[in-house]
């Protein structure tokens, strides 16, 4: 059985080891809005915006950083009791359960921080693996925005808004 | 018949005349996420973020600024073909059709700028006037997020996501 990855809170100094993973996921153009040509400093600011946001890493002793998540308020002010989160897993280690491990950790952490719910604003409609994972963790689709994502291969496709109370 | 207001593009120098309207709307705590105690410089940055966003004003010759809207990409990168917009009308002149005038102008302007659709992320569920206006302008509810807005009087209430192709 493969060893589980260890999760730890990332600091800004971790960006250089995180960046290749972020780039690999974004380059595919099939899950995130981030433009593939996002400058490095902008990418770092997106994924590590700092307090009250938190960025976490999943590390393997031998393979290094294999996954990451970003947890932050979905809105400012009168909406900041609802969290938003984004997840990335290194494409070469998909299927090892790292996404689920990150998801479960994020749910616990969000509750710990006092958030009342988590909202995903853009689960790309053809992303069956993500949809299945989030459903299994208790998220439901609360909305679908037509043609809101310009998928690298499929063109304009729908995105789902998913939600779960904590 | 009351004279229609005139619309013009706002520049950052207009913030001092816009600010009282923005404050009046935000102070009510019933339509926007912005915290009522948002510092002035932060408020200005929210409502006038600059290119590619546009801020417009509705002015009355005698009464000054009576309304405003902010038009911007709803997402970065692969989602920036969908616009987002926010609208404010001075509470003392509600019912004069200024919201509709702003809405119609915004739809035309968004199309002119090449956006393919407009998405509202948070129409507060009890805001019957806004819902009726946007429905009459062709928007439909594509999702509802439960308890996502901390309404000043009503506590946590639902928000609707509304959408219209251009």
């Amino acid at each position: 059985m493969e060893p589980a990855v260890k999760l730890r809170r990332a600091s800004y100094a971790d960006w250089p080891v995180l960046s290749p993973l972020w780039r690999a996921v974004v380059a595919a153009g099939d899950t995130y809005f981030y433009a593939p040509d996002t400058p490095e400093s902008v990418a770092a600011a997106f994924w590590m915006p700092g307090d009250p946001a938190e960025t976490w890493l999943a590390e393997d002793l031998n393979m290094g950083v294999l996954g990451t998540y970003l947890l932050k308020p979905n809105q400012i002010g009168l909406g900041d009791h609802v969290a938003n989160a984004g997840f990335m897993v290194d494409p070469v280690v998909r299927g090892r359960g790292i996404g689920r491990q990150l998801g479960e950790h994020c749910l616990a952490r969000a509750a710990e921080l006092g958030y009342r719910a988590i909202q995903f604003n853009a689960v790309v409609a053809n992303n069956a693996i993500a949809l299945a994972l989030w459903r299994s963790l208790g998220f439901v689709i609360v909305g679908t925005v037509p043609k809101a994502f310009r998928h690298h291969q499929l063109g304009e496709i729908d995105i789902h808004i998913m939600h779960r109370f904590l």
Side-chain angles (χ1 to χ4, degrees), chain A:
Chain A
M1 185 179 151
E2 303 222 42
V5 287
K6 284 213 168 180
L7 267 65
R8 70 169 170 89
R9 182 91 179 268
S11 77
Y12 202 78
D14 291 308
W15 178 251
V17 295
L18 228 182
S19 173
L21 163 59
W22 194 93
R23 292 280 166 202
V25 170
V26 168
D30 57 0
T31 51
Y32 278 92
F33 287 120
Y34 307 120
D37 62 353
T38 303
E40 196 65 4
S41 62
V42 177
F46 282 149
W47 202 256
M48 306 186 108
D51 184 58
E54 294 190 356
T55 306
W56 287 75
L57 298 179
E59 274 181 327
D60 177 278
L61 196 63
N62 302 308
M63 299 179 73
V65 175
L66 298 180
T68 180
Y69 76 81
L70 166 62
L71 176 64
K72 61 185 174 71
N74 191 53
Q75 295 283 357
I76 55 172
L78 308 184
D80 67 1
H81 58 296
V82 179
N84 172 251
F87 298 81
M88 293 185 174
V89 174
D90 190 323
V92 304
V93 292
R94 294 230 170 106
R96 267 181 57 181
I98 296 172
R100 176 174 300 274
Q101 196 179 339
L102 289 167
E104 287 171 352
H105 188 278
C106 179
L107 283 168
R109 183 62 184 155
E112 194 170 67
L113 291 170
Y115 290 113
R116 307 283 296 269
I118 299 186
Q119 177 179 341
F120 301 144
N121 297 306
V123 181
V124 178
N126 81 320
N127 190 347
I129 292 171
L131 282 165
L133 173 59
W134 301 130
R135 281 189 171 120
S136 79
L137 290 177
F139 286 82
V140 295
I141 292 174
V142 295
T144 300
V145 188
K147 297 179 184 290
F149 183 75
R150 298 198 305 279
H151 189 287
H152 180 60
Q153 274 119 19
L154 306 173
E156 292 180 10
I157 66 169
D158 299 354
I159 54 175
H160 296 306
I161 294 143
M162 300 189 82
H163 179 274
R164 203 206 114 142
F165 285 111
L166 295 171

